[in-house]
Amino acid sequence: MTLHTHSTNIFDSNHGRRSKSVPRIVCFFAVLLQFHFTLTSLTLAARGPGPNRLPPDYTESDSDWLWDSWLQKQPSQPDAVDVDYCAQAAEISENGNGIVSYAIAKGCYEQFPFNPRIRDDTIDSVKANLESFYVFYDISRSPPPMENSDLYPVDLTASLASLRNNTYSNDYSFHANLTHMISQLQDPHTSYKNMCYQQFLFIQPLSTYGVYENDRQQVKVATVLNKLDPQLVNSLVDFISEYARTKSYSKDRGVRLNKAFTYLARDKTGSSFDSYSLGTFAQRTTIPVNPTIEYKIDCSAKLGPDFSNGTSDPSIITLNLAWSALDATMVPYTDGASYKQQFCSDNSIQTVKKFVLDTASPDDFSTGMAHLHGGRKKSRELYRGPYASFHLLGDGVTAVFRLGTESPNKLDAKHEGFYTNIDQGFANMEAVGAKKLIIDLQNNAGGIICWGRYVLQTLFPQTVDAPYIYNLRASRLAQALAQATFTYDQAINSPYEGLVDPETGYEVDDDSWMIPGVPLPGRDGAFSKKVTDRYCPVVEEIRGDESDAMFKPQDIVILTNGFCGSTCAVLALQLHERYGVRTMAIGGHHGQSMTFTSFPGGAVQANNTQWVHRVRTLFATLPASMRTKALKSSVPNQLPANGQLAFTFREVMSASHPEQVSEYMRIPSEFRMDYTSARFWMPSILWEDVRKEVWGDQDIAMVDNESDAQEDDEEYEVEDEIYDVGAASVLIEDDAVDLQLDGIATEADREDLEWLQQQE
């Protein structure tokens, strides 16, 4: 990772790859950093430290405080209220490679005055959308108890009313309060953000990962020049755990901790390689509470007994690292007025830059990494595509299917690459005689529903016609829109079209599935009858018999760090509930159980502007006699000031317990494993440890993959070199659909019903 500071560029000469020979004294870099940050502490206000390449998943919702103390702990407005901080940000960004200091970015956000009309119009729109269409509106008021969770009741009606009754020090403060309140739902499909305050990415120049080693949970440095790898000695385990406790990425405490740390994930640039992404602790879109974070780093293992830096404990390096802000704006601005016009007004731009981090490459088995791999062998790569890679472990019979995402990347315009990727990978596994399978779904946040079904059908060709069963909220407005869809002749693209009756297998052609509505056990209000998706034609083509399956259920295990969401979660739950596939969860809090999925949800309405337009247009087709004053009052208006709302529109039901909602079922993983440094940096070692834990050391001759691994390394060098060239382009323009969700990790699925139907 290239680290830019006020006057020094320190960089990894291997273009972001972990060094082939890591010196034992790499902690001297920490000494240099400590010295440098001390010297430049007075000038950081002009330009802060920060990398020029960051991962694409920066738009995760963020807050550092609990709801009860939100107003008391909010960052204060800068003292010089007459200063145009946005004008300063524009000038500094242009002259400083897009890097703006914490104070200037904070000042730019907080210089816009609070507007009661924007508050009221925003809350009216959010309330109308959620009350009529948010499928978990009732259950969020009294969620079931869930082990190892920090899920508390959220009365959306009362909470929105409370927000309306407050005044705020500035416009940012109001929107940040609303964002945080909705994140309390811990439903990553449901979020609010205002694009006015998504234009800076606050970053730390140091990222961390969590391990359990030497009989205790530790935090280690993941990225400083891609070389520094000591442990942190100050209590960041508790600090980061507390930070993660208020996040919305999962209802499971351990999963949220994993997401706060650096993690291995597939980006959306079209690269076929996973890369390490800064965790949510080190990158934020809301203003961090404090301008710096203090790190105490134990470098004793790196520096040796004779090193001295003039302190009482020379092996402990203390760094106070400032937050910096990366300017993510897509169009120019020169001052506060032009900033507000470009990003904070109705019909403003809804896209931001995304940054790609040049990171260490996973599975580096070079000599310099022998202290981690200890002579163990790298897995043999069988096939690698833009969505998934396939590997063979040293026993010669255990394969790994690493599925990074079911979301289209920007190079796959026709969305055909996914099926080719899966087909070729399975063909290669069959060709080498694989008998057991590890499905690695770590940090897979979902995507297109039919892509998940294609994987399910490939693994189990006999899968039933309608594996995913849904309910929708049958509010008065939802019923009226269903009636407008089927009773009155209109050409409006309705969100209630295209659903299938799972009992008949035919598309619903009237409103009887929605009207009069049915009760659900333990739930308030009315819901639709059960429906499912349109059939996926490409899935029909691979339908077969049980005998056609390549692997038996007992010979498959799912591996996740818990962050397997949306389409990924539904796929994993189907494999486990329907076919009994076993599960392994890694990371989280040592000794605590952890789920293997997060936010199965169902389907999300992500483009609020398009959604509200469809609802209002469809409502207008109803006869005047039906458009009563009470019903009109429930129709949402467009959000003002470039606000964006996403919410879960359909809930998916459990395959094993058909009357239960998957989102609020906690199914702990059958196997648990901690991250170690070796398992974090080397997936091959993690996969081998999973194989031994699940199936044991069986009497199978180990094959020599060393020559194959060397060949793979050569291939990897060529491919990675190409990837580095692509990554050298700092920004990647993203479309609006990729930017609608905030509380979710941004990789999570974006489809609403119309978008899904267009793809299929």
Side-chain angles (χ1 to χ4, degrees):
M1 178 175 73
T2 307
L3 183 68
H4 292 271
T5 58
H6 177 64
S7 61
T8 305
N9 280 341
I10 309 174
F11 59 91
D12 185 343
S13 60
N14 288 316
H15 302 289
R17 296 171 59 83
R18 283 185 69 86
S19 174
K20 293 294 183 180
S21 58
V22 181
R24 291 183 57 80
I25 59 170
V26 292
C27 270
F28 278 116
F29 284 106
V31 178
L32 293 175
L33 283 171
Q34 178 192 35
F35 178 69
H36 178 75
F37 282 113
T38 300
L39 289 179
T40 59
S41 60
L42 297 178
T43 61
L44 284 175
R47 179 178 174 190
N52 73 334
R53 295 187 177 98
L54 286 168
D57 57 341
Y58 67 92
T59 55
E60 292 161 331
S61 80
D62 166 67
S63 57
D64 291 302
W65 44 84
L66 298 175
W67 175 244
D68 291 340
S69 59
W70 174 281
L71 291 174
Q72 290 75 17
K73 290 189 177 181
Q74 281 190 95
S76 60
Q77 195 167 358
D79 295 333
V81 294
D82 57 336
V83 174
D84 190 337
Y85 288 94
C86 292
Q88 292 188 23
E91 181 180 359
I92 294 171
S93 174
E94 183 175 357
N95 298 327
N97 199 25
I99 302 173
V100 178
S101 74
Y102 168 90
I104 297 300
K106 176 176 180 287
C108 179
Y109 274 5
E110 295 181 338
Q111 76 179 47
F112 301 112
F114 167 64
N115 185 328
R117 182 189 61 79
I118 290 178
R119 175 200 59 192
D120 294 347
D121 290 350
T122 299
I123 289 176
D124 285 344
S125 180
V126 170
K127 182 173 182 288
N129 273 296
L130 298 184
E131 282 188 343
S132 290
F133 305 112
Y134 180 45
V135 73
F136 301 134
Y137 195 89
D138 64 307
I139 199 172
S140 64
R141 288 197 301 266
S142 55
M146 302 178 77
E147 183 184 6
N148 293 334
S149 173
D150 301 298
L151 183 63
Y152 301 105
V154 178
D155 186 327
L156 286 167
T157 300
S159 296
L160 289 169
S162 176
L163 287 172
R164 184 194 295 273
N165 291 332
N166 279 326
T167 57
Y168 303 88
S169 58
N170 49 62
D171 184 63
Y172 168 82
S173 177
F174 161 68
H175 293 290
N177 271 271
L178 179 56
T179 295
H180 180 76
M181 187 276 288
I182 290 181
S183 75
Q184 286 189 291
L185 296 167
Q186 293 185 4
D187 172 7
H189 280 126
T190 302
S191 63
Y192 171 82
K193 66 181 178 182
N194 189 284
M195 292 304 298
C196 182
Y197 307 113
Q198 300 292 308
Q199 305 303 320
F200 294 107
L201 171 63
F202 294 90
I203 55 96
Q204 280 278 298
L206 179 152
S207 64
T208 58
Y209 68 103
V211 300
Y212 187 81
E213 295 176 337
N214 300 321
D215 297 323
R216 66 189 182 94
Q217 196 138 11
Q218 304 176 34
V219 177
K220 290 196 171 187
V221 177
T223 343
V224 171
L225 318 179
N226 292 334
K227 293 179 180 177
L228 184 60
D229 190 23
Q231 69 184 49
L232 297 174
V233 296
N234 52 336
S235 185
L236 277 193
V237 172
D238 294 336
F239 187 56
I240 295 177
S241 295
E242 180 62 22
Y243 162 81
R245 194 168 76 86
T246 60
K247 302 303 101 183
S248 63
Y249 320 122
S250 172
K251 294 177 176 63
D252 188 285
R253 187 179 299 131
V255 179
R256 294 196 300 277
L257 180 62
N258 282 343
K259 194 65 177 172
F261 289 125
T262 296
Y263 54 88
L264 189 64
R266 186 67 55 96
D267 66 38
K268 290 190 173 182
T269 64
S271 167
S272 295
F273 292 91
D274 287 331
S275 60
Y276 289 100
S277 296
L278 292 178
T280 64
F281 182 75
Q283 55 176 338
R284 313 181 184 183
T285 55
T286 56
I287 303 171
V289 175
N290 298 310
T292 63
I293 293 180
E294 179 180 281
Y295 304 88
K296 291 184 178 180
I297 304 176
D298 181 0
C299 292
S300 56
K302 304 283 186 179
L303 297 177
D306 299 327
F307 174 74
S308 175
N309 64 353
T311 66
S312 59
D313 192 347
S315 65
I316 303 301
I317 306 298
T318 300
L319 301 176
N320 281 286
L321 301 185
W323 288 96
S324 297
L326 271 67
D327 188 335
T329 56
M330 292 288 289
V331 294
Y333 65 98
T334 58
D335 54 18
S338 59
Y339 182 99
K340 186 172 183 179
Q341 178 63 35
Q342 297 282 36
F343 312 117
C344 313
S345 305
D346 297 343
N347 302 315
S348 295
I349 188 170
Q350 296 180 359
T351 59
V352 294
K353 294 175 186 174
K354 287 200 170 187
F355 300 89
V356 177
L357 173 67
D358 283 342
T359 67
S361 299
D363 247 15
D364 179 2
F365 274 69
S366 62
T367 304
M369 301 297 289
H371 65 289
L372 288 182
H373 62 68
R376 298 171 71 175
K377 302 299 181 183
K378 182 178 180 179
S379 62
R380 174 187 171 192
E381 186 175 294
L382 300 176
Y383 181 75
R384 181 177 292 276
Y387 302 99
S389 60
F390 297 81
H391 312 262
L392 187 68
L393 301 188
D395 65 355
V397 298
T398 303
V400 177
F401 168 26
R402 165 67 178 138
L403 179 60
T405 182
E406 297 91 18
S407 292
N409 66 59
K410 300 184 181 306
L411 302 182
D412 187 13
K414 296 183 179 180
H415 299 170
E416 296 172 347
F418 183 84
Y419 305 117
T420 301
N421 192 165
I422 301 303
D423 292 346
Q424 188 62 55
F426 271 80
N428 287 16
M429 288 194 298
E430 185 175 27
V432 298
K435 303 298 181 185
K436 298 184 184 299
L437 182 64
I438 298 171
I439 305 175
D440 186 344
L441 299 174
Q442 294 179 88
N443 296 301
N444 180 325
I448 295 178
I449 293 172
C450 283
W451 287 13
R453 288 190 58 184
Y454 190 83
V455 173
L456 180 65
Q457 200 79 32
T458 299
L459 288 164
F460 296 103
Q462 75 276 20
T463 298
V464 297
D465 291 337
Y468 305 167
I469 305 298
Y470 305 97
N471 287 114
L472 290 79
R473 188 168 174 83
S475 64
R476 289 184 308 148
L477 180 57
Q479 290 180 338
L481 296 178
Q483 193 170 2
T485 301
F486 298 103
T487 304
Y488 303 100
D489 186 17
Q490 47 81 24
I492 305 301
N493 187 3
S494 169
Y496 297 103
E497 292 178 315
L499 298 172
V500 173
D501 183 338
E503 294 184 0
T504 66
Y506 294 106
E507 281 193 22
V508 296
D509 57 5
D510 61 34
D511 55 26
S512 61
W513 63 280
M514 177 65 83
I515 301 174
V518 297
L520 291 180
R523 304 287 296 276
D524 295 332
F527 295 84
S528 72
K529 294 179 181 178
K530 293 178 180 178
V531 292
T532 188
D533 300 300
R534 279 177 173 164
Y535 296 138
C536 309
V538 70
V539 173
E540 295 297 309
E541 295 172 5
I542 60 172
R543 183 184 300 278
D545 299 323
E546 184 176 354
S547 59
D548 297 326
M550 189 182 305
F551 302 97
K552 298 178 181 178
Q554 63 268 29
D555 294 328
I556 304 175
V557 65
I558 297 167
L559 167 65
T560 80
N561 64 344
F563 194 77
C564 164
S566 201
T567 293
C568 177
V570 176
L571 167 63
L573 288 169
Q574 289 285 319
L575 291 171
H576 177 70
E577 292 186 296
R578 194 179 295 278
Y579 296 107
V581 172
R582 292 178 289 178
T583 58
M584 165 74 78
I586 184 166
H589 295 275
H590 174 73
Q592 294 185 9
S593 67
M594 198 169 84
T595 59
F596 60 96
T597 64
S598 299
F599 61 98
V604 57
Q605 291 292 350
N607 189 324
N608 190 254
T609 302
Q610 182 187 60
W611 163 257
V612 170
H613 174 74
R614 290 161 64 189
V615 167
R616 295 185 66 83
T617 304
L618 186 59
F619 182 79
T621 66
L622 289 168
S625 60
M626 292 185 62
R627 287 183 272 123
T628 63
K629 183 177 180 180
L631 197 57
K632 282 182 181 178
S633 67
S634 67
V635 178
N637 292 313
Q638 294 288 357
L639 282 164
N642 213 7
Q644 296 294 316
L645 176 70
F647 56 88
T648 309
F649 179 60
R650 295 184 288 176
E651 59 185 11
V652 66
M653 310 303 288
S654 167
S656 59
H657 300 83
E659 298 305 316
Q660 293 192 31
V661 180
S662 294
E663 181 79 16
Y664 287 88
M665 285 181 64
R666 189 181 193 279
I667 306 179
S669 183
E670 295 163 85
F671 297 93
R672 282 285 281 115
M673 184 175 285
D674 294 304
Y675 279 116
T676 62
S677 295
R679 290 169 182 166
F680 175 79
W681 290 114
M682 299 175 177
S684 290
I685 287 180
L686 169 60
W687 298 332
E688 282 284 3
D689 290 348
V690 169
R691 179 189 66 80
K692 291 178 181 179
E693 179 71 18
V694 175
W695 293 296
D697 285 316
Q698 301 181 9
D699 187 18
I700 300 174
M702 301 291 284
V703 299
D704 185 4
N705 285 335
E706 186 168 3
S707 60
D708 292 324
Q710 290 173 351
E711 293 174 5
D712 289 342
D713 279 338
E714 292 173 5
E715 261 181 53
Y716 196 98
E717 293 283 353
V718 174
E719 294 290 344
D720 196 58
E721 191 173 338
I722 296 172
Y723 173 55
D724 279 340
V725 172
S729 176
V730 176
L731 69 94
I732 299 170
E733 293 189 9
D734 205 5
D735 52 44
V737 157
D738 260 350
L739 295 161
Q740 304 311 312
L741 302 183
D742 185 85
I744 192 172
T746 44
E747 312 94 321
D749 91 30
R750 305 294 199 269
E751 73 260 7
D752 62 10
L753 185 59
E754 179 190 33
W755 184 80
L756 171 65
Q757 292 172 356
Q758 288 175 349
Q759 305 312 317
E760 297 303 322

